[in-house]
Structure formats: C-alpha cells, structure tokens
Amino acid sequence: MPKLGMEPIRKAALVKATIAEIGAAGSLDVTVSQIARRAGMSTALAHHYFGNKEQMFLAAMRHVLSIYGAEVRGALATADGPRERLRAIIRVSFAAGSFRSEVVGAWLNFYVLAQTVPEAKRLLRIYQRRLRSNLLAELRPLVGGDASDVADGLGALIDGVYIREALSDGAPDGAAAARLVLAYLSCRIDGTGANRG
Amino acid sequence: MPKLGMEPIRKAALVKATIAEIGAAGSLDVTVSQIARRAGMSTALAHHYFGNKEQMFLAAMRHVLSIYGAEVRGALATADGPRERLRAIIRVSFAAGSFRSEVVGAWLNFYVLAQTVPEAKRLLRIYQRRLRSNLLAELRPLVGGDASDVADGLGALIDGVYIREALSDGAPDGAAAARLVLAYLSCRIDGTGANRG
DNA sequence: GTTTTTGTTGATTGACGAGTCAATAAACTT
DNA sequence: AAGTTTATTGACTCGTCAATCAACAAAAAC
C-alpha cells in the first residue's frame, strides 16, 4: 500500500492526535500508543517519523502556537486604530480557533512541559514576547509610559483566564472570557470598567 | 529505634518532600522513591502512611492551600476597610510564604492534577471560591454591581501571574507581582491605573 | 512475660511503556 | 529486472516504578 509522500500527512495526523490526547487526558501522561492509535497507525511508525515522544509534544506545541499566531495576524489585518487592534488581539485569543477545551487542556500542559524541556520553554517565551510586543505597539500611543505595565497585565490575565478555563466543566465561553479581559483594557486606557462595543 | 508517635512527623516530612520534588522536577513525574528519599525514609514507609502516591499529592495540595488560607486570614485580621483588606489579600498572595519557586512550580502542577483527580479539582475549586468570596465581600461596597466581574478578573490575574512566574528564571519577585495586580485593582475601584501606597 | 500495636525496610512482583529491529511490500530509478 | 528508497508493522528488549509482603524491632498493654 505504500503511497509515497505520506510523511507530511502522517505527521499532521500525529500532531492533531497528540493535542487531542493531551487535551482529553488533561496531562502529558499519554502513551505513544494512544497517540498513534488515534492517528490510525502503529507506534513504530510514530517513532519512525518523530524519533521520540518529546518531538511529538514539541511539534504539537509549535502547531498550536502557529495557529494562534496566524489568527492574530489575520485579526490585525482588518483592525484600524490602536483601540480596535487591541480589542482584536484579545477577541481572537478567545475565539473558537484556539479557545477549545482540548487546546486549552493542551496549553496548560505545555506550560508544564516548559518546566523540563528547554525547547518548550523557548517556544512559550516566543509566544509571550510576540504577544507583548503586539500589545505594546498599540498601547504606547494610548497610555504612554504605562504601556509596559498594561501589556504585562493583559498577558498575565489572558493566561489566567486560560488556565481557569481548564478547570471548568462544559464548553469554554469565549465571549465571557473576552469580555473579562476587555474590561481590564477599557479600565486601563479609558479609565472606566465599562465595556462597550 | 521505633519511637512512638512518628506518624504525624513522617507525614509532614513526606508532604514537604512532595512539594519540593514536584517543584524541583517541575512536573508530577516524580517517583515515590524520590519523595521518600528526600524525606529520609524508605518507599515502603511512604506507602505505609499514605497508601498510594495520589494521596501524597493530595496531602501536599491541602498543605499548600491551608498555608495560603492561614496567611489570608492573618492578613485580613489586621486590615481595616475594604480598600485595605483587598490590598492585604493581594499582597499576601505574593508574599514569601506561598510565592516561592518550589511552591509556584507545585501550584502549576496541581492545576494539572485537577484535570484527572476529582478530589484535586474539588480542592482547587474550594480555593477559588474562597478567594472569590473574600474579594467579593470587600468589592461590593466599592463597586457595587461590578463586584462580581472585578473579583473574577482579580482571581484570573492572580493565577496568571503565578503560572507566568513558573516560567521565569530566578527567584520570584513578589513585590513586582503584587504591584501588577494592585494596579488592576486601583483602576477598577478608583478609576486610575496608578498604584499609590 | 507474652501478646499486641506501631515503626521500619529490603526484596519482590507485576504491569506498563519507550524505543529498536528485522521483515515485508509497494513504489520509483536506472 | 535489479536495486534503492519510502512506508509500515509485529514482536521484542530493557528499564522503571507503584504497590505488596514477609520479616524484624521496640514500645505498650495485659
């Protein structure tokens, strides 16, 4: 049956299965068997393409991060003015592309992975830095010298909402999550807690 | 050598060792051997007192949570007025008793544990509810109907700062962390981002 | 002074899982 | 047609680790 050019297909299936398994298990304690089974192949093949489990985890992380990055770019492309661009970044952070229970569950575990795997830490740092610089660029014209503080606050708040979501039952409520973060933003840039628009 | 009344001493040593091991490893992937060795006893004895590893983890969680609870109560006992009481809760959340790298590392992993162990989820929920109700009681006289939103925001922000800390190198900077959260509070209750006092 | 309770451990069991390997087969190359 | 590369897997190795057990020791109870 060996059709050629399977590598990217298999890898993609494994990445997807890895995220799903970690999300479903709520832990990094998933076996290569489970991942391979979900992806519809043998464990030997999974090892063949990724070498070891850690590489599968890292590929899954890169995938989640790149999806998120693409969504942010997409959202920014159609948003005008600092206020709207900030709102767009926040809204997209809780949009259906990333704010799904399996992804949230995986996200939490990527933080744990980053404690022991330097490459995972590096990836998470890149995400944090990029988010921070995106926020800073729009915040500076609005709050000047406080931009740095506000950006840190927003970053921490977004992460906090994410992990709290991992603990709740039921499907994530992205709208509510976004509202919460938008309220923080409004307060810092308009001096009000109200969240209109 | 069998001195009597060892049980509480051994258990306390194991709880402490469990937190230290999880914090040091940055993961729940610690063996009973490691924990027992650090606590100065055999693995068999650890099993004798706790039955299984999960119970050790849960005991460690209860310990961390109870320390935090005690510190909050202590801080509230000497704080007057809603503003000061809120500030006290935030400050104590980042005080040296709980905001230490091993504890922060363990904390992150307790979130992961809560994904699979119902009792862990229950404990974390109790912490969240208690924090929320503490905040709510002081926020209501200050912001009325917005109290609920602000409490949710503060809770998420505190958690966010915690997990971000788990990712940074070097000793935690509790003062900076508290400042960040206090700025959010000021903004929501005073309508300003500035953080005085 | 024997029996019971409490403390303690080395050795063992039993399960599980990551990673390897040899083997098979289909497609491409020459 | 022979040889090479790519795809694929079942079976196996080797290590690890949670949990158990039998045994020993000292204090307490009777």
Side-chain angles (χ1 to χ4, degrees):
Chain A
M1 299 145 176
K3 290 156 193 167
L4 285 239
M6 290 304 286
E7 177 155 355
I9 295 163
R10 293 302 199 183
K11 279 192 165 181
L14 282 167
V15 161
K16 200 178 154 196
T18 302
I19 296 165
E21 280 296 323
I22 293 177
S27 133
L28 294 174
D29 232 319
V30 294
T31 68
V32 175
S33 281
Q34 287 166 355
I35 295 171
R37 190 175 328 125
R38 188 184 283 249
M41 72 194 80
S42 69
T43 72
L45 196 54
H47 276 104
H48 173 65
Y49 282 124
F50 277 106
N52 59 41
K53 191 158 73 158
E54 190 172 299
Q55 294 306 314
M56 294 184 220
F57 285 168
L58 289 172
M61 250 183 104
R62 285 191 204 98
H63 188 250
V64 167
L65 256 24
S66 83
I67 297 249
Y68 176 71
E71 293 208 289
V72 168
R73 278 193 303 278
L76 283 179
T78 62
D80 263 3
R83 259 187 196 73
E84 269 319 302
R85 290 169 73 79
L86 286 166
R87 282 161 134 40
I89 294 172
I90 291 167
R91 258 189 251 109
V92 86
S93 296
F94 301 105
S98 299
F99 202 54
R100 298 203 316 278
S101 54
E102 6 145 26
V103 177
V104 171
W107 189 254
L108 171 57
N109 282 283
F110 291 157
Y111 261 95
V112 172
L113 190 65
Q115 307 289 302
T116 46
V117 180
E119 174 68 5
K121 186 185 246 190
R122 211 191 108 244
L123 290 173
L124 228 41
R125 284 247 173 91
I126 290 174
Y127 143 79
Q128 286 187 350
R129 255 205 306 279
R130 199 155 47 189
L131 173 61
R132 191 170 196 278
S133 100
N134 279 335
L135 294 172
L136 266 180
E138 315 299 335
L139 283 167
R140 259 192 287 256
L142 295 174
V143 298
D146 283 351
S148 186
D149 285 355
V150 178
D152 286 339
L154 280 171
L157 186 52
I158 290 171
D159 279 6
V161 172
Y162 255 81
I163 58 160
R164 288 206 155 202
E165 184 57 49
L167 206 46
S168 83
D169 337 271
D173 183 348
R179 230 179 297 125
L180 193 104
V181 180
L182 287 169
Y184 173 88
L185 177 68
S186 298
C187 191
R188 296 303 297 257
I189 68 181
D190 299 328
T192 163
N195 163 38
R196 327 182 214 301
Chain B
M1 302 144 171
K3 289 155 191 165
L4 284 238
M6 289 307 283
E7 177 154 356
I9 295 163
R10 293 301 200 185
K11 279 193 164 182
L14 282 168
V15 161
K16 201 178 154 194
T18 301
I19 296 166
E21 281 297 322
I22 293 177
S27 132
L28 294 173
D29 234 319
V30 294
T31 68
V32 174
S33 275
Q34 287 167 354
I35 296 170
R37 191 175 328 123
R38 188 185 282 249
M41 71 194 80
S42 69
T43 71
L45 196 53
H47 276 103
H48 174 65
Y49 282 123
F50 277 106
N52 58 41
K53 192 159 74 156
E54 190 172 300
Q55 293 306 315
M56 290 182 222
F57 284 169
L58 289 172
M61 251 185 102
R62 284 191 204 99
H63 187 249
V64 167
L65 257 25
S66 84
I67 297 249
Y68 176 71
E71 292 205 289
V72 170
R73 278 193 302 280
L76 283 179
T78 60
D80 265 1
R83 259 186 196 72
E84 269 318 302
R85 290 168 73 80
L86 285 166
R87 282 162 136 40
I89 293 172
I90 292 168
R91 257 188 252 108
V92 85
S93 296
F94 301 105
S98 299
F99 202 55
R100 300 201 316 275
S101 53
E102 7 145 23
V103 178
V104 172
W107 190 253
L108 172 58
N109 282 283
F110 290 157
Y111 261 95
V112 172
L113 190 65
Q115 308 287 303
T116 45
V117 180
E119 174 68 6
K121 185 183 247 192
R122 211 192 108 246
L123 290 173
L124 227 43
R125 285 249 173 90
I126 289 174
Y127 144 78
Q128 285 187 350
R129 256 205 305 280
R130 199 155 48 189
L131 173 60
R132 191 170 196 280
S133 101
N134 279 334
L135 294 173
L136 224 42
E138 316 299 336
L139 283 168
R140 258 192 287 256
L142 295 174
V143 297
D146 283 350
S148 187
D149 285 354
V150 178
D152 286 340
L154 280 171
L157 186 52
I158 290 172
D159 279 6
V161 171
Y162 256 82
I163 61 161
R164 289 207 154 201
E165 184 57 48
L167 208 44
S168 83
D169 337 272
D173 183 349
R179 231 179 296 123
L180 193 105
V181 180
L182 287 169
Y184 174 84
L185 178 67
S186 298
C187 192
R188 296 303 297 259
I189 68 181
D190 299 328
T192 165
N195 165 36
R196 328 182 211 304

